[in-house]
């Protein structure tokens, strides 16, 4: 069975990075920039895991502007999608100004950018897919 990774990322450099890394690791990756498009894709395919960037600039969910934290929380609170593992990605600390964005997102794991250890990323992915 193919392992499908959906990547929600709006930065072209990061998109190319993920596409290359996951292809080399033997995964099928689908890159999406918008929450509404993500929901459409999830209706037609089975996702093994979602990589979710926190800072999405022009992303919408159900027609309203959203970021990766909101989209992740929405998926985790939806019975249909709650079992899909989500790795949150941020260039910033997951805890700022007294708020823990990782906990708020309900994601399964997180990683900070820049991602310099490809094996670390693939290790997290493989661990979450195997659970």
């Amino acid at each position: 069975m193919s392992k499908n990774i959906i990547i929600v990322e709006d930065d072209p450099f990061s998109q190319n990075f993920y596409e290359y890394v996951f292809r080399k690791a033997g995964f099928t990756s689908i890159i999406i920039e918008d929450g509404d498009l993500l929901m459409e894709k999830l209706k037609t395919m089975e996702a093994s895991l979602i990589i979710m960037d926190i800072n999405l600039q022009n992303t919408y969910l159900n027609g309203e502007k959203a970021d990766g934290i909101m989209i992740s929380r929405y998926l985790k609170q939806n019975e249909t999608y709650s079992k899909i593992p989500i790795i949150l990605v941020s260039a910033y600390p997951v805890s700022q100004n007294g708020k823990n964005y990782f906990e708020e997102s309900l994601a399964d794991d997180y990683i900070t950018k820049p991602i310099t250890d490809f094996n670390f990323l693939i290790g997290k992915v493989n661990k979450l897919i195997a659970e």
Side-chain angles (χ1 to χ4, degrees):
M1 180 172 86
S2 179
K3 295 179 182 175
N4 298 313
I5 308 294
I6 296 180
I7 299 146
V8 185
E9 173 65 66
D10 58 359
D11 174 64
F13 179 80
S14 296
Q15 291 173 346
N16 290 334
F17 164 80
Y18 287 126
E19 184 177 27
Y20 175 78
V21 167
F22 287 118
R23 183 173 19 102
K24 286 295 218 182
F27 292 97
T28 300
S29 63
I30 295 96
I31 298 172
I32 296 174
E33 296 184 23
D34 183 75
D36 288 331
L37 294 175
L38 170 64
M39 298 313 297
E40 288 301 314
K41 183 56 84 175
L42 288 173
K43 291 176 185 174
T44 62
M45 71 165 280
E46 186 175 322
S48 302
L49 181 129
I50 297 171
I51 304 272
M52 179 77 64
D53 186 50
I54 286 180
N55 294 315
L56 301 166
Q57 298 301 314
N58 295 306
T59 301
Y60 292 84
L61 179 64
N62 298 323
E64 294 186 22
K65 193 151 177 55
D67 61 17
I69 296 165
M70 297 162 131
I71 297 169
S72 176
R73 186 175 55 245
Y74 176 83
L75 292 170
K76 288 300 187 177
Q77 290 176 333
N78 185 315
E79 188 176 324
T80 304
Y81 309 113
S82 64
K83 301 265 189 275
I84 302 171
I86 298 174
I87 297 177
L88 209 60
V89 181
S90 176
Y92 307 103
V94 294
S95 184
Q96 289 182 331
N97 303 327
K99 291 182 92 174
N100 187 315
Y101 298 110
F102 172 64
E103 288 178 5
E104 187 179 320
S105 73
L106 305 176
D108 298 278
D109 206 341
Y110 71 92
I111 193 166
T112 55
K113 291 194 254 185
I115 300 169
T116 56
D117 187 341
F118 311 123
N119 292 323
F120 181 71
L121 172 62
I122 296 302
K124 282 184 177 271
V125 168
N126 282 327
K127 178 181 177 273
L128 286 169
I129 288 176
E131 291 180 346

